[in-house]
């Protein structure tokens, strides 16, 4: 067995310096590298991996996106009037790796370079960031109109009793839909639930 040598304490201990702490003072006179989001912005690189977009007509509900997601940020969501479930993405978990976009067989799930995600710590605002993404054309239209790379919803309402969701988009448009359930299997109808009882 090879002997493991431990470095003596005097070799690893750094000598105290009375100059080094003062070197940090030079940063007082430099411009900060951080920006004041959301009042300032940095133009992202082309193809920057920002928020998702979803073409609801192209999505076939295969859940490949949900299966590959390393952060478990995707929950398949059944929406009234849609034949297949669509992914709901939780930005509290998402790491913006875009594996879900790469694996989507129909190209329904995509992304846009918009990336600014801020709140003023009101609880209802946090719900904004757990959403079924809007179609790419609509998101692009808003990015071109405002040019600030911000999230496209101003407000989201979720009625817990009726399961109705209302998206208030930044351009004043309103999108309404009703969530029937979550998961890969279709939710049971009221008649099926009554029969089981
Ligand atoms: S970008 Fe990555 S972490 Fe976010 S939902 Fe897609 S697969 Fe999951
Ligand atoms: S977004 Fe793509 S991968 Fe996800 S369920 Fe729809 S078709 Fe399948």
């Amino acid at each position: 067995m090879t002997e493991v040598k431990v470095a003596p304490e005097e070799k690893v201990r750094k000598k105290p310096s009375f100059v080094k702490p003062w070197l940090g003072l030079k940063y007082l006179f430099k411009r900060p590298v951080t920006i004041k989001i959301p009042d300032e912005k940095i133009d992202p690189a082309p193809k920057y991996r920002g928020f998702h977009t979803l073409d609801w007509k192209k999505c076939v509900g295969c859940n490949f996106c949900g299966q590959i997601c390393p952060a478990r940020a995707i929950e398949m969501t059944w929406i009234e009037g849609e034949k297949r479930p669509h992914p709901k993405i939780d930005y509290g978990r998402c790491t913006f790796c875009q594996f879900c976009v790469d694996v989507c067989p129909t190209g329904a799930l995509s992304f846009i370079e918009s990336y600014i995600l801020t709140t003023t710590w009101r609880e209802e605002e946090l719900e904004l960031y757990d959403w079924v993404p809007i179609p790419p054309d609509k998101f692009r239209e808003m990015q071109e109109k405002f040019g600030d790379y911000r999230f496209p919803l101003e407000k989201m309402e979720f009625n817990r009793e009726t399961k109705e969701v209302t998206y208030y988009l930044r351009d004043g448009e309103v999108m309404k839909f009703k969530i029937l359930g979550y998961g890969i299997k279709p939710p049971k109808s009221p008649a099926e639930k009554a029969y089981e009882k």
Side-chain angles (χ1 to χ4, degrees):
M1 212 171 129
T2 32
E3 196 189 333
V4 180
K5 283 186 185 166
V6 180
E9 184 71 10
E10 59 276 14
K11 270 203 166 179
V12 288
R13 199 189 304 142
K14 285 188 181 158
K15 285 185 190 154
S17 164
F18 297 101
V19 180
K20 275 186 186 166
W22 296 101
L23 293 180
L25 288 176
K26 69 181 177 203
Y27 295 105
L28 285 177
F29 306 101
K30 290 197 169 183
R31 275 193 72 209
V33 289
T34 50
I35 59 166
K36 290 177 187 164
I37 281 179
D39 304 320
E40 292 174 4
K41 62 171 185 179
I42 290 176
D43 288 331
K47 302 275 176 194
Y48 182 81
R49 295 191 305 228
F51 297 122
H52 297 79
T53 61
L54 180 71
D55 188 330
W56 290 27
K57 288 197 187 93
K58 278 193 192 170
C59 174
V60 293
C62 61
N63 190 35
F64 285 0
C65 51
Q67 281 178 325
I68 203 163
C69 176
R72 300 194 177 194
I74 292 183
E75 189 173 28
M76 296 308 288
T77 306
W78 291 84
I79 292 168
E80 194 174 56
E82 297 288 307
K83 288 190 186 128
R84 306 277 178 201
H86 298 324
K88 179 168 70 64
I89 300 178
D90 180 354
Y91 287 128
R93 304 185 70 105
C94 176
T95 59
F96 296 88
C97 63
Q98 307 299 5
F99 285 176
C100 52
V101 173
D102 290 345
V103 84
C104 177
T106 62
L109 196 59
S110 189
F111 63 90
I112 186 167
E113 66 277 10
S114 297
Y115 63 96
I116 293 185
L117 187 83
T118 55
T119 71
T120 50
W121 296 104
R122 278 182 292 138
E123 197 162 338
E124 62 270 23
E125 284 181 310
L126 300 178
E127 287 183 355
L128 271 177
Y129 303 118
D130 189 9
W131 75 329
V132 177
I134 60 170
D137 296 350
K138 188 67 206 165
F139 204 148
R140 175 69 51 201
E141 187 188 308
M142 263 183 290
Q143 172 50 33
E144 275 161 19
K145 180 170 182 187
F146 298 104
D148 56 6
Y149 306 108
R150 289 181 68 174
F151 198 66
L153 305 194
E154 205 125 69
K155 195 171 134 200
M156 183 197 295
E157 272 171 7
F158 179 56
N159 186 321
R160 289 182 198 282
E161 277 174 26
T162 62
K163 306 279 186 233
E164 276 171 339
V165 179
T166 311
Y167 284 176
Y168 295 92
L169 305 186
R170 291 180 70 202
D171 64 356
E173 209 176 290
V174 175
M175 256 177 93
K176 280 180 189 278
F177 56 92
K178 187 173 175 181
I179 292 181
L180 302 177
Y182 301 100
I184 307 163
K185 288 185 188 163
K188 288 181 181 154
S189 66
E192 281 173 313
K193 281 184 193 161
Y195 180 74
E196 279 174 7
K197 283 180 192 168

